[in-house]
């Protein structure tokens, strides 16, 4: 008896080739690098950030028409990325990276007359960030740790620049209440 033979790999590849819509490919190209910068600010690992963003885009690809049907595509897509990053943090069974990236930043980029005091201040700010509401955390991380302008943060999150500025001001007030005079004055200034 002749048993059926599996198809050669090259034939299988052609049968399962996925063609993504051009608007999805354009959206990916436009936003993936920014999403990775955000994910890195949260996760502290380029590899983990890339994986989280890839998984978020895979989730979007599976329901791309549903993503496009949302009233605010950018806000919806950013929420998917934010949730995927949070899932990654939960899977680590620990809070967001605070010390690891802060130590590197302090040593590599902020050598001053008192690097220990700078390190302590940065750690305190990062820890205080975890006490902010999610939107305020996102604005501060995108604006000051990932280096986006207010306008870029607004576009990425799918909100107005005024909303971003409002969240930044509220976050700064809250951080000042938590940290008192330890909040670096130049750390949270707007555009």
């Amino acid at each position: 008896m002749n048993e059926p033979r599996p198809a050669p790999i090259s034939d299988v590849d052609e049968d399962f080739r996925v063609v993504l819509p051009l608007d999805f490919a354009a959206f990916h190209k436009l936003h993936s690098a920014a999403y990775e910068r955000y994910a890195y600010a949260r996760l502290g690992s380029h590899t983990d950030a890339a994986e989280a963003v890839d998984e978020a885009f895979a989730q979007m690809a599976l329901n791309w028409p549903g993503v496009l049907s949302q009233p605010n595509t950018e806000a919806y897509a950013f929420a998917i990325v934010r949730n995927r990053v949070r899932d990654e943090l939960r899977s680590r069974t620990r809070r967001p990276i605070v010390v690891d990236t802060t130590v590197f930043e302090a040593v590599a980029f902020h050598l001053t007359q008192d690097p220990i005091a700078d390190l302590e201040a940065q750690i305190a700010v990062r820890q205080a960030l975890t006490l902010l509401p999610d939107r305020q955390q996102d604005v501060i991380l995108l604006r000051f740790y990932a280096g986006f302008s207010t306008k870029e943060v607004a576009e990425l999150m799918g909100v107005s620049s005024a909303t971003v500025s409002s969240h930044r001001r509220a976050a700064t007030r809250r951080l000042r209440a938590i940290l008192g005079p330890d909040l670096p004055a130049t750390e949270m200034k707007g555009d």
Side-chain angles (χ1 to χ4, degrees):
M1 240 194 204
N2 287 340
E3 290 185 29
R5 301 184 88 177
I9 296 295
S10 60
D11 293 343
V12 173
D13 288 346
E14 287 181 26
D15 291 341
F16 291 103
R17 189 170 298 151
V18 175
V19 178
L20 296 171
L22 288 177
D23 51 357
F24 175 83
F27 188 86
H28 181 274
K29 184 174 185 172
L30 184 64
H31 294 290
S32 62
Y35 289 161
E36 282 192 33
R37 285 169 58 189
Y38 165 76
Y40 175 74
R42 286 271 184 170
L43 299 170
S45 161
H46 289 293
T47 302
D48 291 347
E51 286 177 12
V53 170
D54 286 348
E55 289 175 16
F57 271 109
Q59 180 181 343
M60 285 185 250
L62 290 172
N63 185 27
W64 186 239
V67 173
L68 290 177
S69 72
Q70 297 301 311
N72 188 331
T73 303
E74 285 78 13
Y76 187 77
F78 183 74
I80 290 172
V81 171
R82 181 180 54 236
N83 290 336
R84 183 60 216 121
V85 168
R86 285 188 189 141
D87 290 346
E88 173 62 26
L89 288 169
R90 276 192 286 272
S91 73
R92 294 176 176 183
T93 63
R94 62 181 175 135
R95 296 187 59 89
I97 295 290
V98 173
V99 178
D100 298 349
T101 56
T102 304
V103 169
F104 177 76
E105 290 168 0
V107 171
F109 301 112
H110 301 287
L111 294 176
T112 63
Q113 291 179 343
D114 192 355
I116 299 301
D118 287 350
L119 177 60
E120 288 172 346
Q122 287 185 22
I123 290 172
V125 169
R126 288 267 192 158
Q127 288 174 332
L129 281 175
T130 65
L131 303 174
L132 296 177
D134 291 337
R135 289 285 200 155
Q136 291 176 15
Q137 279 185 47
D138 291 341
V139 166
I140 297 299
L141 286 169
L142 287 166
R143 180 70 186 86
F144 299 104
Y145 288 91
F148 291 105
S149 70
T150 299
K151 182 181 176 191
E152 291 168 327
V153 172
E155 290 170 359
L156 191 63
M157 292 179 68
V159 298
S160 70
S161 291
T163 299
V164 170
S165 295
S166 176
H167 285 308
R168 181 193 49 78
R169 284 189 303 273
T172 302
R173 280 192 302 273
R174 180 96 188 259
L175 289 170
R176 286 201 192 287
I178 294 167
L179 298 169
D182 293 337
L183 179 63
T186 60
E187 188 80 19
M188 302 297 160
K189 287 188 179 179
D191 288 331

